[in-house]
Coordinates of all heavy atoms in Angstrom, one line a residue:
M1 N 103.7 92.7 109.1 CA 103.1 94.0 109.2 C 101.8 94.0 108.5 O 101.6 93.4 107.4 CB 104.0 95.0 108.6 CG 105.5 95.1 109.2 SD 105.3 95.9 110.7 CE 107.0 96.4 111.0
I2 N 100.9 94.9 109.1 CA 99.7 95.2 108.4 C 99.8 96.6 107.8 O 100.3 97.6 108.4 CB 98.5 95.3 109.5 CG1 98.4 93.9 110.2 CG2 97.2 95.8 108.9 CD1 97.8 92.8 109.2
I3 N 99.3 96.8 106.6 CA 99.3 98.1 105.9 C 98.1 98.8 106.4 O 97.0 98.5 106.1 CB 99.3 97.9 104.4 CG1 100.4 96.9 103.8 CG2 99.4 99.3 103.7 CD1 101.8 97.3 104.2
E4 N 98.4 99.9 107.1 CA 97.3 100.7 107.6 C 96.9 101.7 106.6 O 95.7 101.9 106.4 CB 97.7 101.4 109.0 CG 96.6 102.1 109.7 CD 97.0 102.7 111.1 OE1 97.9 103.4 111.2 OE2 96.4 102.1 112.0
E5 N 97.8 102.4 106.0 CA 97.4 103.4 105.0 C 98.6 103.5 103.9 O 99.7 103.3 104.2 CB 97.4 104.8 105.7 CG 96.4 105.0 106.7 CD 96.4 106.4 107.3 OE1 97.4 106.8 107.8 OE2 95.4 107.2 107.1
K6 N 98.1 103.8 102.8 CA 99.0 104.1 101.6 C 98.8 105.6 101.3 O 97.6 106.1 101.2 CB 98.5 103.4 100.4 CG 98.9 101.9 100.4 CD 98.3 101.2 99.2 CE 98.8 101.8 97.8 NZ 98.5 100.9 96.8
E7 N 99.9 106.4 101.2 CA 99.7 107.9 101.0 C 100.8 108.2 99.9 O 101.9 107.5 99.7 CB 99.9 108.6 102.3 CG 99.0 108.2 103.4 CD 99.1 109.0 104.6 OE1 99.1 110.3 104.5 OE2 99.3 108.4 105.7
F8 N 100.6 109.3 99.3 CA 101.5 109.8 98.3 C 101.4 111.3 98.2 O 100.4 112.0 98.6 CB 101.3 109.1 96.9 CG 100.0 109.3 96.4 CD1 99.7 110.4 95.5 CD2 98.9 108.4 96.7 CE1 98.4 110.6 95.0 CE2 97.7 108.7 96.1 CZ 97.4 109.7 95.3
H9 N 102.4 111.9 97.6 CA 102.5 113.3 97.3 C 103.0 113.6 96.0 O 104.1 113.1 95.7 CB 103.2 114.1 98.4 CG 103.3 115.6 98.2 ND1 102.2 116.4 98.4 CD2 104.3 116.3 97.7 CE1 102.6 117.6 98.1 NE2 103.9 117.6 97.7
I10 N 102.4 114.3 95.1 CA 102.9 114.6 93.8 C 102.8 116.1 93.5 O 101.7 116.6 93.7 CB 102.1 113.7 92.7 CG1 102.2 112.3 92.9 CG2 102.5 114.1 91.2 CD1 101.3 111.4 92.1
E11 N 103.9 116.6 93.0 CA 103.9 118.0 92.6 C 104.2 117.9 91.1 O 105.3 117.4 90.7 CB 104.9 118.8 93.3 CG 104.6 119.0 94.7 CD 105.5 119.9 95.5 OE1 106.3 120.5 94.8 OE2 105.5 119.8 96.7
P12 N 103.4 118.3 90.2 CA 103.6 118.1 88.7 C 105.0 118.6 88.3 O 105.4 119.7 88.5 CB 102.5 119.1 88.2 CG 101.3 119.1 89.1 CD 102.1 119.0 90.5
G13 N 105.6 117.7 87.7 CA 106.9 118.0 87.1 C 108.1 118.0 88.1 O 109.2 118.4 87.8
R14 N 107.9 117.8 89.4 CA 108.8 118.0 90.4 C 109.3 116.8 91.2 O 110.2 116.2 90.9 CB 108.6 119.1 91.4 CG 108.5 120.4 90.6 CD 108.2 121.6 91.5 NE 109.3 121.7 92.6 CZ 109.2 122.3 93.7 NH1 107.9 122.7 94.1 NH2 110.2 122.3 94.5
Y15 N 108.4 116.3 92.1 CA 108.8 115.3 93.1 C 107.6 114.4 93.4 O 106.6 114.9 93.7 CB 109.5 115.9 94.4 CG 110.0 114.9 95.2 CD1 111.1 114.2 95.0 CD2 109.3 114.7 96.5 CE1 111.6 113.3 96.0 CE2 109.8 113.8 97.4 CZ 110.9 113.1 97.2 OH 111.4 112.2 98.0
T16 N 107.8 113.1 93.5 CA 106.8 112.2 93.8 C 107.3 111.5 95.1 O 108.4 111.0 95.1 CB 106.5 111.1 92.7 OG1 106.1 111.9 91.6 CG2 105.4 110.2 93.1
E17 N 106.4 111.4 96.0 CA 106.8 110.8 97.4 C 105.6 109.7 97.6 O 104.5 110.1 97.6 CB 106.8 111.8 98.4 CG 107.4 111.2 99.8 CD 107.5 112.4 100.8 OE1 106.9 113.5 100.6 OE2 108.2 112.2 101.8
M18 N 106.0 108.5 97.9 CA 105.0 107.4 98.2 C 105.5 106.7 99.4 O 106.6 106.5 99.7 CB 105.0 106.4 97.1 CG 104.5 106.9 95.8 SD 104.9 105.8 94.4 CE 106.6 105.9 94.3
W19 N 104.5 106.5 100.4 CA 104.8 105.8 101.6 C 103.6 105.1 102.2 O 102.5 105.3 101.7 CB 105.3 106.8 102.7 CG 104.4 107.8 103.2 CD1 103.6 107.6 104.3 CD2 104.1 109.0 102.6 NE1 102.7 108.7 104.5 CE2 103.0 109.6 103.5 CE3 104.4 109.7 101.5 CZ2 102.5 110.9 103.2 CZ3 103.9 110.9 101.3 CH2 102.9 111.6 102.2
I20 N 103.9 104.2 103.0 CA 102.8 103.4 103.7 C 103.1 103.5 105.2 O 104.1 103.7 105.7 CB 102.8 101.9 103.3 CG1 104.3 101.3 103.5 CG2 102.4 101.7 101.9 CD1 104.4 99.8 103.2
T21 N 102.0 103.4 106.0 CA 102.0 103.4 107.4 C 101.7 101.9 107.8 O 100.7 101.4 107.3 CB 101.1 104.3 108.1 OG1 101.3 105.7 107.4 CG2 101.2 104.4 109.5
V22 N 102.5 101.2 108.6 CA 102.4 99.9 109.0 C 102.5 99.8 110.5 O 103.1 100.6 111.2 CB 103.5 99.1 108.3 CG1 103.4 99.2 106.7 CG2 104.9 99.3 108.6
Y23 N 102.1 98.6 110.9 CA 102.3 98.2 112.4 C 102.4 96.7 112.3 O 102.0 95.9 111.5 CB 101.1 98.7 113.3 CG 99.7 98.1 112.9 CD1 99.3 97.0 113.5 CD2 98.9 98.8 112.0 CE1 98.0 96.5 113.2 CE2 97.7 98.4 111.7 CZ 97.2 97.1 112.2 OH 96.0 96.7 112.0
N24 N 103.0 96.2 113.5 CA 103.2 94.8 113.7 C 101.9 94.0 113.8 O 101.1 94.3 114.7 CB 104.0 94.6 115.0 CG 104.4 93.2 115.2 OD1 103.8 92.3 114.7 ND2 105.4 93.0 116.1
A25 N 101.6 93.1 112.9 CA 100.4 92.3 112.9 C 100.3 91.5 114.1 O 99.1 91.1 114.5 CB 100.5 91.4 111.7
Y26 N 101.2 91.1 114.8 CA 101.2 90.2 116.0 C 101.3 91.0 117.4 O 101.4 90.4 118.4 CB 102.2 89.2 115.8 CG 102.2 88.4 114.6 CD1 102.9 88.7 113.6 CD2 101.1 87.5 114.6 CE1 102.7 87.9 112.3 CE2 100.9 86.8 113.3 CZ 101.7 87.0 112.2 OH 101.5 86.3 111.1
D27 N 101.3 92.3 117.3 CA 101.2 93.2 118.5 C 99.7 93.6 118.8 O 99.1 94.3 118.0 CB 102.1 94.3 118.3 CG 102.2 95.2 119.6 OD1 101.4 94.9 120.6 OD2 103.1 96.0 119.7
S28 N 99.1 92.9 119.8 CA 97.7 93.2 119.9 C 97.4 94.4 120.8 O 96.2 94.8 121.0 CB 97.0 91.9 120.6 OG 97.7 91.7 121.9
R29 N 98.4 95.1 121.2 CA 98.2 96.4 122.0 C 97.6 97.4 121.2 O 97.8 97.5 120.0 CB 99.4 96.9 122.6 CG 100.1 96.0 123.6 CD 101.4 96.5 124.1 NE 102.3 96.7 122.9 CZ 103.3 97.6 122.8 NH1 103.5 98.4 123.7 NH2 104.1 97.6 121.7
E30 N 96.6 98.1 121.7 CA 95.9 99.2 121.0 C 96.9 100.3 120.7 O 96.7 100.9 119.6 CB 94.8 99.8 121.9 CG 93.8 100.7 121.1 CD 92.6 101.0 122.0 OE1 91.9 100.1 122.4 OE2 92.4 102.2 122.2
D31 N 97.9 100.6 121.4 CA 98.8 101.6 121.2 C 100.1 101.2 120.5 O 101.2 101.8 120.6 CB 99.2 102.4 122.4 CG 99.9 101.6 123.5 OD1 99.8 100.4 123.4 OD2 100.5 102.2 124.3
T32 N 100.0 100.0 119.7 CA 101.2 99.5 119.1 C 101.8 100.6 118.1 O 101.1 101.4 117.6 CB 100.9 98.3 118.2 OG1 102.1 97.7 117.8 CG2 100.0 98.6 117.1
E33 N 103.1 100.7 118.0 CA 103.9 101.6 117.3 C 103.6 101.5 115.8 O 103.6 100.5 115.3 CB 105.4 101.5 117.5 CG 106.1 102.6 117.0 CD 107.6 102.5 117.5 OE1 108.0 101.7 118.2 OE2 108.3 103.4 117.1
R34 N 103.4 102.6 115.1 CA 103.3 102.7 113.7 C 104.6 103.1 113.1 O 105.3 103.9 113.7 CB 102.2 103.7 113.3 CG 100.8 103.1 113.2 CD 100.3 102.6 114.3 NE 98.8 102.1 114.1 CZ 98.1 101.5 114.9 NH1 98.7 101.0 116.0 NH2 96.9 101.1 114.7
Y35 N 104.8 102.6 111.8 CA 106.1 103.0 111.2 C 105.7 103.6 109.8 O 104.9 103.1 109.1 CB 106.9 101.8 110.9 CG 107.3 101.0 112.2 CD1 106.6 100.1 112.7 CD2 108.5 101.4 112.9 CE1 106.9 99.4 113.9 CE2 108.8 100.8 114.1 CZ 108.0 99.8 114.5 OH 108.3 99.2 115.7
R36 N 106.4 104.7 109.4 CA 106.2 105.2 108.1 C 107.4 104.5 107.2 O 108.5 104.6 107.6 CB 106.4 106.7 108.0 CG 106.5 107.3 106.7 CD 106.8 108.7 106.5 NE 107.2 109.0 105.2 CZ 107.1 110.2 104.6 NH1 106.5 111.2 105.4 NH2 107.5 110.5 103.5
V37 N 107.0 103.9 106.1 CA 108.0 103.3 105.2 C 107.8 103.9 103.8 O 106.8 103.9 103.2 CB 107.7 101.8 105.1 CG1 108.6 101.1 104.2 CG2 107.7 101.1 106.5
D38 N 109.0 104.5 103.4 CA 109.0 105.2 102.1 C 109.2 104.1 101.0 O 110.0 103.1 101.1 CB 110.1 106.2 102.0 CG 109.8 107.4 102.6 OD1 108.8 107.6 103.3 OD2 110.6 108.4 102.5
I39 N 108.6 104.3 99.9 CA 108.7 103.4 98.7 C 109.0 104.2 97.5 O 108.4 105.2 97.3 CB 107.2 102.6 98.5 CG1 107.0 101.8 99.7 CG2 107.4 101.8 97.3 CD1 105.6 101.2 99.7
E40 N 110.1 103.8 96.8 CA 110.5 104.5 95.6 C 109.9 104.1 94.4 O 109.9 104.7 93.3 CB 112.0 104.4 95.6 CG 112.8 105.0 96.8 CD 114.2 104.9 96.8 OE1 114.8 104.4 95.8 OE2 114.8 105.1 97.9
D41 N 109.5 102.8 94.3 CA 109.1 102.2 93.0 C 107.6 102.2 93.0 O 107.0 101.5 93.8 CB 109.6 100.7 92.9 CG 109.3 100.1 91.6 OD1 108.3 100.4 90.9 OD2 110.1 99.1 91.2
E42 N 107.0 102.9 92.0 CA 105.5 103.1 92.0 C 104.8 101.7 91.6 O 103.7 101.5 92.0 CB 105.1 104.2 91.0 CG 105.4 103.9 89.6 CD 106.8 104.4 89.2 OE1 107.6 105.0 90.0 OE2 107.1 104.4 88.0
R43 N 105.5 100.8 91.0 CA 105.0 99.6 90.7 C 104.8 98.8 92.0 O 103.7 98.1 92.1 CB 105.8 98.8 89.7 CG 105.9 99.5 88.3 CD 107.0 98.8 87.4 NE 108.3 99.0 88.2 CZ 109.4 98.4 87.7 NH1 109.4 97.6 86.8 NH2 110.6 98.7 88.4
I44 N 105.7 98.8 92.8 CA 105.5 98.1 94.1 C 104.5 98.8 95.0 O 103.6 98.1 95.5 CB 106.9 98.1 94.9 CG1 108.0 97.5 94.2 CG2 106.7 97.6 96.2 CD1 107.8 96.0 93.9
F45 N 104.5 100.1 95.0 CA 103.4 100.8 95.7 C 102.1 100.4 95.2 O 101.1 100.1 96.1 CB 103.7 102.3 95.6 CG 102.7 103.1 96.3 CD1 102.8 103.4 97.6 CD2 101.6 103.9 95.7 CE1 101.9 104.2 98.3 CE2 100.7 104.6 96.4 CZ 100.9 104.8 97.6
N46 N 101.8 100.3 93.9 CA 100.5 99.9 93.4 C 100.1 98.5 93.7 O 98.9 98.2 93.8 CB 100.4 100.2 91.9 CG 100.5 101.6 91.5 OD1 100.0 102.5 92.4 ND2 101.1 102.0 90.4
L47 N 101.0 97.6 94.0 CA 100.7 96.2 94.3 C 100.3 96.1 95.8 O 99.7 95.1 96.1 CB 101.9 95.3 94.0 CG 102.1 95.1 92.5 CD1 103.5 94.3 92.3 CD2 101.0 94.4 91.8
I48 N 100.8 96.9 96.6 CA 100.5 96.8 98.0 C 99.1 97.3 98.4 O 98.6 98.3 97.8 CB 101.5 97.7 98.9 CG1 103.0 97.1 98.7 CG2 101.1 97.7 100.4 CD1 104.0 98.1 99.2
E49 N 98.3 96.5 99.3 CA 97.0 96.8 99.6 C 96.8 97.1 101.0 O 97.3 96.5 101.8 CB 96.2 95.5 99.2 CG 96.2 95.2 97.7 CD 95.3 93.9 97.4 OE1 94.3 93.7 98.1 OE2 95.7 93.2 96.5
E50 N 96.0 98.2 101.3 CA 95.7 98.5 102.6 C 95.0 97.5 103.3 O 94.0 96.7 102.8 CB 94.9 99.8 102.7 CG 95.6 101.1 102.3 CD 94.7 102.3 102.4 OE1 93.5 102.3 102.7 OE2 95.4 103.5 102.3
G51 N 95.2 97.3 104.6 CA 94.5 96.2 105.4 C 95.1 94.8 105.3 O 94.6 94.0 106.0
E52 N 96.0 94.7 104.4 CA 96.6 93.3 104.1 C 97.9 93.1 104.9 O 98.5 94.1 105.3 CB 96.9 93.1 102.6 CG 95.7 93.1 101.8 CD 94.8 91.9 102.1 OE1 95.4 90.8 102.3 OE2 93.5 92.0 102.1
E53 N 98.2 91.9 105.1 CA 99.4 91.4 105.9 C 100.5 91.1 105.0 O 100.3 90.4 103.9 CB 99.0 90.3 106.8 CG 100.3 89.8 107.8 CD 99.9 88.8 108.6 OE1 98.7 88.4 108.8 OE2 100.8 88.1 109.1
Y54 N 101.8 91.6 105.3 CA 103.0 91.4 104.6 C 104.1 91.1 105.5 O 104.2 91.7 106.5 CB 103.3 92.5 103.7 CG 102.4 92.9 102.7 CD1 101.3 93.7 103.0 CD2 102.5 92.4 101.3 CE1 100.3 94.0 101.9 CE2 101.5 92.7 100.4 CZ 100.4 93.5 100.6 OH 99.5 93.8 99.8
F55 N 105.1 90.3 105.1 CA 106.4 90.1 105.7 C 107.2 91.2 105.1 O 107.3 91.3 103.9 CB 107.0 88.7 105.5 CG 106.3 87.6 106.2 CD1 105.8 86.6 105.5 CD2 106.1 87.6 107.5 CE1 105.2 85.5 106.1 CE2 105.5 86.6 108.1 CZ 105.0 85.6 107.4
M56 N 107.9 92.0 106.0 CA 108.7 93.2 105.3 C 110.1 93.2 106.0 O 110.2 92.9 107.2 CB 107.9 94.4 105.7 CG 106.6 94.6 105.1 SD 105.8 96.1 105.6 CE 106.6 97.3 104.6
V57 N 111.0 93.7 105.3 CA 112.4 94.0 105.7 C 112.4 95.5 105.4 O 112.4 95.9 104.3 CB 113.5 93.3 105.1 CG1 114.8 93.7 105.5 CG2 113.3 91.8 105.2
I58 N 112.6 96.3 106.5 CA 112.6 97.7 106.4 C 113.9 98.2 107.1 O 114.6 97.5 108.0 CB 111.4 98.5 107.0 CG1 111.2 98.1 108.5 CG2 110.2 98.1 106.2 CD1 110.1 98.9 109.1
Q59 N 114.3 99.4 106.7 CA 115.6 100.0 107.3 C 115.4 101.5 107.5 O 114.9 102.2 106.6 CB 116.7 99.8 106.3 CG 118.0 100.5 106.6 CD 119.0 100.3 105.4 OE1 118.8 99.8 104.4 NE2 120.2 100.8 105.7
A60 N 115.7 101.9 108.8 CA 115.7 103.4 109.1 C 116.8 104.1 108.2 O 117.9 103.7 108.1 CB 115.9 103.6 110.6
F61 N 116.4 105.2 107.6 CA 117.4 106.0 106.8 C 117.4 107.5 107.1 O 118.3 108.2 106.6 CB 117.1 105.6 105.3 CG 116.1 106.3 104.6 CD1 116.3 107.4 103.9 CD2 114.8 105.8 104.8 CE1 115.1 108.0 103.2 CE2 113.7 106.4 104.2 CZ 113.9 107.5 103.4
K62 N 116.4 108.0 107.7 CA 116.5 109.4 108.1 C 115.4 109.7 109.2 O 114.6 108.8 109.6 CB 116.1 110.3 106.9 CG 114.7 110.2 106.4 CD 114.4 111.1 105.2 CE 112.9 110.9 104.7 NZ 112.7 111.9 103.6
Q63 N 115.5 110.8 109.8 CA 114.5 111.3 110.7 C 113.7 112.4 110.2 O 114.2 113.3 109.5 CB 115.2 111.8 112.0 CG 115.8 110.6 112.8 CD 116.4 111.1 114.1 OE1 117.4 111.7 114.1 NE2 115.8 110.8 115.2
D64 N 112.4 112.5 110.4 CA 111.6 113.6 110.0 C 111.7 114.8 110.9 O 112.5 114.8 111.8 CB 110.2 113.1 109.8 CG 109.5 112.8 111.2 OD1 110.0 113.1 112.2 OD2 108.4 112.1 111.1
R65 N 110.9 115.8 110.7 CA 111.0 117.1 111.4 C 110.7 116.9 112.9 O 111.2 117.7 113.7 CB 110.0 118.1 110.9 CG 110.4 118.6 109.5 CD 109.5 119.7 109.1 NE 109.9 120.1 107.7 CZ 109.1 120.1 106.7 NH1 107.9 119.7 106.7 NH2 109.5 120.5 105.4
E66 N 109.9 116.0 113.2 CA 109.6 115.6 114.7 C 110.5 114.7 115.3 O 110.4 114.3 116.5 CB 108.2 115.1 114.8 CG 107.0 116.0 114.4 CD 106.8 116.2 112.9 OE1 106.9 115.1 112.3 OE2 106.6 117.2 112.4
G67 N 111.6 114.3 114.6 CA 112.6 113.4 115.1 C 112.2 111.9 115.1 O 113.0 111.1 115.6
E68 N 111.1 111.6 114.3 CA 110.7 110.2 114.2 C 111.5 109.6 112.9 O 111.7 110.3 112.0 CB 109.3 110.1 113.9 CG 108.4 110.7 115.0 CD 108.4 109.6 116.2 OE1 108.5 108.5 116.1 OE2 108.4 110.2 117.3
F69 N 111.9 108.3 113.1 CA 112.6 107.7 112.0 C 111.7 107.4 110.9 O 110.5 107.1 111.1 CB 113.2 106.4 112.5 CG 114.5 106.6 113.3 CD1 114.4 106.5 114.7 CD2 115.7 107.0 112.7 CE1 115.6 106.7 115.4 CE2 116.8 107.2 113.4 CZ 116.9 107.0 114.8
V70 N 112.2 107.5 109.6 CA 111.5 107.1 108.4 C 112.2 105.9 107.9 O 113.4 105.8 108.0 CB 111.5 108.2 107.5 CG1 110.8 107.8 106.1 CG2 110.7 109.5 108.0
Y71 N 111.4 104.9 107.5 CA 112.0 103.6 107.0 C 111.9 103.5 105.5 O 111.0 104.0 104.9 CB 111.4 102.5 107.8 CG 111.5 102.5 109.3 CD1 110.8 103.3 110.0 CD2 112.6 101.8 109.8 CE1 110.9 103.3 111.4 CE2 112.7 101.8 111.2 CZ 111.9 102.6 112.0 OH 112.2 102.7 113.4
R72 N 112.8 102.8 105.0 CA 112.9 102.4 103.5 C 112.6 100.9 103.4 O 113.1 100.1 104.1 CB 114.2 102.7 102.9 CG 114.2 102.5 101.4 CD 115.6 102.8 101.0 NE 116.3 103.7 101.7 CZ 117.2 104.6 101.4 NH1 117.4 104.8 100.1 NH2 117.7 105.4 102.2
L73 N 111.7 100.6 102.4 CA 111.4 99.2 102.1 C 112.6 98.5 101.5 O 112.9 98.9 100.5 CB 110.2 99.1 101.3 CG 109.7 97.9 100.8 CD1 109.1 97.0 102.0 CD2 108.6 97.8 99.7
N74 N 113.0 97.4 102.0 CA 114.1 96.6 101.3 C 113.5 95.4 100.7 O 113.9 94.8 99.7 CB 115.1 96.2 102.3 CG 116.0 97.3 102.8 OD1 116.0 98.4 102.1 ND2 116.7 97.1 103.9
Q75 N 112.5 94.7 101.3 CA 111.9 93.5 100.8 C 110.5 93.4 101.4 O 110.3 93.7 102.6 CB 112.7 92.2 101.2 CG 112.2 91.0 100.6 CD 113.0 89.8 101.0 OE1 114.1 89.9 101.4 NE2 112.5 88.6 100.8
I76 N 109.6 92.9 100.6 CA 108.2 92.6 101.0 C 107.6 91.4 100.3 O 107.9 91.1 99.1 CB 107.3 93.8 100.7 CG1 105.9 93.7 101.3 CG2 107.3 94.2 99.2 CD1 105.1 95.0 101.1
E77 N 106.9 90.7 101.1 CA 106.2 89.5 100.5 C 105.0 89.1 101.2 O 104.7 89.5 102.4 CB 107.3 88.3 100.5 CG 107.6 87.7 101.7 CD 108.6 86.6 101.6 OE1 109.8 86.8 101.3 OE2 108.1 85.4 101.8
R78 N 104.1 88.5 100.5 CA 102.8 88.1 101.2 C 103.1 86.8 102.0 O 104.0 86.1 101.9 CB 101.8 87.6 100.1 CG 101.6 88.7 99.1 CD 100.7 89.7 99.6 NE 99.3 89.4 99.1 CZ 98.3 89.9 99.6 NH1 98.4 90.7 100.6 NH2 97.1 89.7 99.2
P79 N 102.3 86.5 103.1 CA 102.5 85.5 104.0 C 102.6 84.1 103.4 O 103.1 83.2 103.8 CB 101.3 85.6 105.0 CG 101.0 87.0 105.1 CD 101.2 87.5 103.6
E80 N 101.8 83.9 102.3 CA 101.7 82.7 101.6 C 102.9 82.6 100.6 O 103.1 81.5 100.0 CB 100.5 82.5 100.7 CG 100.3 83.6 99.5 CD 99.7 84.9 99.9 OE1 99.5 85.1 101.0 OE2 99.6 85.7 99.0
G81 N 103.9 83.5 100.6 CA 105.2 83.3 100.0 C 105.4 84.0 98.7 O 106.4 83.9 98.0
T82 N 104.4 84.9 98.2 CA 104.5 85.6 97.0 C 105.4 86.8 97.2 O 105.1 87.7 98.0 CB 103.2 86.1 96.5 OG1 102.3 84.9 96.4 CG2 103.3 86.8 95.2
K83 N 106.6 86.9 96.6 CA 107.6 88.0 96.7 C 107.3 89.1 95.8 O 106.9 88.9 94.7 CB 109.0 87.4 96.6 CG 109.4 86.5 97.7 CD 110.8 86.1 97.5 CE 111.2 85.2 98.6 NZ 112.5 84.6 98.7
I84 N 107.4 90.3 96.3 CA 107.3 91.5 95.6 C 108.6 92.2 95.7 O 109.2 92.4 96.8 CB 106.2 92.4 96.1 CG1 104.8 91.7 96.2 CG2 106.1 93.7 95.3 CD1 103.6 92.4 96.9
R85 N 109.3 92.5 94.5 CA 110.6 93.1 94.5 C 110.6 94.5 94.1 O 109.8 94.9 93.2 CB 111.7 92.3 93.8 CG 111.9 90.9 94.3 CD 113.1 90.3 93.8 NE 113.4 89.1 94.4 CZ 114.2 89.0 95.5 NH1 114.9 90.0 95.9 NH2 114.5 87.9 96.1
G86 N 111.5 95.3 94.7 CA 111.6 96.7 94.3 C 112.1 97.5 95.5 O 112.3 97.0 96.6
D87 N 112.2 98.8 95.3 CA 112.6 99.7 96.4 C 111.5 100.5 97.1 O 110.6 100.9 96.4 CB 113.6 100.7 95.9 CG 114.9 100.1 95.5 OD1 115.3 99.0 96.1 OD2 115.5 100.6 94.4

């Protein structure tokens, strides 16, 4: 997967939400599907870089207001084999 965007939402003292938008690195179509992947661990979020390629294991866990699936990160690693662990 290619990390297209990193985004977050913070409300002081209440709730923090972090997510990335990714797409298949090997799908050359212009309209390739994008996936929103929620990340719970800010340490993992801070290590991920936009525009970089990662191997990812993701799992759908809910649908948003538009009916699109939201995915959760289970595992991520760099193509050269560096593993990053967290939720």
Side-chain angles (χ1 to χ4, degrees):
M1 295 288 200
I2 298 290
I3 309 301
E4 186 172 62
E5 293 181 301
K6 287 175 55 173
E7 300 181 57
F8 60 91
H9 178 73
I10 299 172
E11 293 182 17
R14 293 187 62 205
Y15 184 70
T16 301
E17 188 177 18
M18 297 167 288
W19 68 95
I20 54 178
T21 304
V22 301
Y23 63 90
N24 184 341
Y26 301 102
D27 187 346
S28 60
R29 294 177 299 152
E30 192 172 302
D31 64 340
T32 188
E33 189 170 0
R34 268 58 176 172
Y35 303 92
R36 174 186 161 153
V37 179
D38 282 7
I39 300 175
E40 296 176 12
D41 188 331
E42 65 272 0
R43 295 171 296 171
I44 299 302
F45 183 77
N46 289 330
L47 290 173
I48 296 171
E49 299 178 31
E50 285 184 355
E52 294 295 321
E53 181 178 346
Y54 296 86
F55 292 119
M56 300 175 71
V57 177
I58 59 177
Q59 173 185 5
F61 75 101
K62 69 178 181 180
Q63 286 182 294
D64 63 15
R65 291 185 182 122
E66 292 81 37
E68 297 291 324
F69 284 103
V70 178
Y71 297 84
R72 181 182 339 213
L73 178 66
N74 288 341
Q75 182 178 346
I76 184 169
E77 64 183 75
R78 304 283 262 158
E80 66 274 3
T82 306
K83 291 184 180 176
I84 303 171
R85 294 200 171 260
D87 294 323

